[in-house]
Amino acid sequence: MAAGIPLSKIVQSQTSISGFGNKSKITVGHMQVNLKVGPIRSLTKFYVVDVNVAYHALFGRPWLNKHKLVVSIYHQCVKGRIGLRPFRIPGNQALFNKNEAHYSEAEFYIECTGAGSKPSKDFGTYLPS
């Protein structure tokens, strides 16, 4: 499994999910993950789908709303606050490597960024505990 989580952790259930191009896919199951994204840690339900895609996880509106986050497409990040302190969780600036160039999503991304761009390192703002 791409995330390195054993198949025994997946709760077997079939749910239909609509993807890009409105194509439906049946899930393998779902799992609960203690997820840490930036300064946020929460138990999160993920649906597992057996497909080749460039990403490993998608966060939906319910997760974003639960944590009072705002997506900034212009800045390619997610923004929020803990108390009065703002924070920013950056997106990956170069989503595709050479092995992933055949994915249909890569065609649209490469047109905007230019071919041959290298993946950037993750960066962010340090927030004390």
Side-chain angles (χ1 to χ4, degrees):
M1 176 173 245
I5 299 171
L7 292 173
S8 61
K9 298 282 184 179
I10 297 174
V11 176
Q12 302 295 316
S13 65
Q14 294 185 339
T15 304
S16 180
I17 293 179
S18 293
F20 295 109
N22 209 21
K23 295 179 183 174
S24 287
K25 187 74 177 172
I26 302 296
T27 63
V28 174
H30 67 271
M31 61 194 326
Q32 295 285 340
V33 176
N34 188 8
L35 182 69
K36 182 175 184 322
V37 178
I40 298 169
R41 182 178 296 276
S42 68
L43 192 62
T44 306
K45 184 179 194 175
F46 279 94
Y47 290 94
V48 179
V49 184
D50 186 18
V51 293
N52 279 332
V53 291
Y55 45 83
H56 293 168
L58 290 176
F59 299 109
R61 290 281 170 209
W63 188 85
L64 294 167
N65 291 339
K66 174 183 176 184
H67 299 292
K68 299 179 181 171
L69 300 174
V70 176
V71 176
S72 174
I73 295 172
Y74 180 77
H75 294 106
Q76 292 293 298
C77 67
V78 175
K79 299 177 181 184
R81 288 186 180 275
I82 294 180
L84 298 175
R85 298 187 76 185
F87 66 89
R88 177 179 177 271
I89 303 170
N92 190 343
Q93 300 301 309
L95 301 178
F96 303 96
N97 63 34
K98 291 178 186 176
N99 298 330
E100 298 169 331
H102 66 281
Y103 293 143
S104 60
E105 298 96 339
E107 179 182 341
F108 300 109
Y109 185 80
I110 291 169
E111 285 177 12
C112 296
T113 61
S117 61
K118 295 180 181 175
S120 65
K121 285 187 172 183
D122 290 337
F123 62 94
T125 304
Y126 171 74
L127 294 174
S129 298

